Amino acid sequence: MTSRVANPHPEPTAKVPVALSVVVPLYNERAVLPLLLERLTQVLQPLGISYELVLVDDGSHDGSGVYLLEQAARNPTIVAVRLSRNFGKEAALSAGMDVSSGDAVVILDADLQDPPELIGSMLEAMRAGADIVTMKRRTRAGESWGKRLSAHLFYRLMSRISHFKIPEDTGDFRLMSRRAVNALNSLPERNRYMKGLFAWVGFPTHVIEYDRDPRAAGNTKWNLLGLIGLALEGITSFSIVPLRWASALGLLAAGVGMSFGLWIVVGAVFHGNPVAGYPSMIAVTTFLGGVQLLSVGLLGEYVGKTYFETKQRPLYVLRDVVQSPRQASQTPTPLKD
């Protein structure tokens, strides 16, 4: 068993090339891991290609990391990656892609809402010429109408305000060629919204629609605040349109305030109307103050991103990367796309 420890990024020379890497970022998913490995094995073994399962533990505290080490000790197709703490899904996903060595890389969530049985169809699309195979959700079983509606609206908002097309109703579940993965790995930014980066790198893309299943076990780790934060991260990472909206709102507020003030002056001079007094003043002041605070907060989001990028800290820190040595018979010729 080999172990690579404490490097922010693993050395390329330590990788064993395979045809397919399946990258699975996870956090506190111990309950679903046995089923995940069983289904992946059932799907991948009949394909007759070399593969690896890059399972990235993002600082779990439910025993997920220990379980991965145990499985990696007895199964050479499993690469157990443990981060030094919880860095977030986007960082864990980036770590998995850095460690992966496959000619093709599939990204899959540990909860099995995205069926691994579709990997064969994804590989066929890649062989037909696609560098990226995007999986579009046709239905979302096991999710509330509120979450489905908010996701529907968010993807369409992102598509409108971005200067490039971000596919609608797609998550992280997708396949990428090695050159697409290398392009993603070369991006230096620390504030990452992966769904946007997948689209930003371009390359020929094929879309497959599928029905999303309910979670196989455990509970979602995303709460309302987390989803709002992810949405804000996506919007501010790929568009400056919100800043323009804030400017437009400020201009509108100034115009309204000026018109209201002019109306009061004209009424007092020509008609002798008494000045309305404190209620109208407080209403206008409160409105303008709200616009200013909103604009300053929005500007702060962009400035904060710049601040963190200038620090140039690594996106993640590895605790260890563990994999058992492969036998010669276990490393057939990698897949050619």
Side-chain angles (χ1 to χ4, degrees), residues 26-101:
L26 59 100
Y27 176 67
N28 289 342
E29 296 286 3
R30 176 64 180 84
V32 78
L33 288 179
L35 180 59
L36 170 69
L37 295 178
E38 178 183 353
R39 283 181 62 179
L40 282 173
T41 301
Q42 291 174 350
V43 168
L44 297 176
Q45 281 188 345
L47 296 179
I49 60 174
S50 58
Y51 67 88
E52 64 180 3
L53 308 179
V54 183
L55 305 170
V56 185
D57 174 38
D58 186 25
S60 299
H61 49 76
D62 67 342
S64 295
V66 174
Y67 179 80
L68 294 182
L69 294 182
E70 294 171 351
Q71 298 304 308
R74 64 173 65 103
N75 186 342
T77 66
I78 294 177
V79 183
V81 182
R82 296 194 299 172
L83 304 188
S84 61
R85 63 168 175 84
N86 179 247
F87 285 88
K89 183 181 178 182
E90 311 297 277
L93 183 51
S94 298
M97 290 192 298
D98 284 337
V99 172
S100 70
S101 61

Side-chain angles (χ1 to χ4, degrees), residues 201-251:
V201 296
F203 294 115
T205 300
H206 179 77
V207 178
I208 297 177
E209 293 190 358
Y210 75 106
D211 299 311
R212 203 172 196 222
D213 297 329
R215 172 179 269 273
N219 299 311
T220 180
K221 309 307 180 293
W222 290 99
N223 55 29
L224 178 60
L225 290 179
L227 292 173
I228 292 174
L230 181 63
L232 188 60
E233 181 73 33
I235 291 171
T236 55
S237 292
F238 288 94
S239 177
I240 61 169
V241 169
L243 290 175
R244 294 173 179 169
W245 287 350
S247 299
L249 184 59
L251 183 62

Side-chain angles (χ1 to χ4, degrees), residues 180-202:
V181 172
N182 288 342
L184 276 168
N185 290 345
S186 69
L187 299 179
E189 60 200 77
R190 271 65 180 167
N191 296 283
R192 294 197 159 205
Y193 178 69
M194 297 305 296
K195 298 174 186 62
L197 293 178
F198 292 144
W200 185 87
V201 296

Side-chain angles (χ1 to χ4, degrees), residues 269-331:
V269 171
F270 293 99
H271 303 288
N273 294 335
V275 178
Y278 287 108
S280 59
M281 183 184 303
I282 291 174
V284 172
T285 303
T286 301
F287 175 68
L288 293 177
V291 171
Q292 290 173 340
L293 289 175
L294 176 64
S295 301
V296 169
L298 187 58
L299 182 61
E301 284 288 332
Y302 287 93
V303 173
K305 285 180 178 294
T306 304
Y307 170 70
F308 284 114
E309 291 291 341
T310 57
K311 287 178 176 291
Q312 291 294 294
R313 292 172 180 165
L315 183 61
Y316 59 86
V317 176
L318 292 176
R319 179 178 175 180
D320 46 36
V321 180
V322 176
Q323 181 181 21
S324 298
R326 286 176 176 266
Q327 303 297 324
S329 61
Q330 295 174 316
T331 56

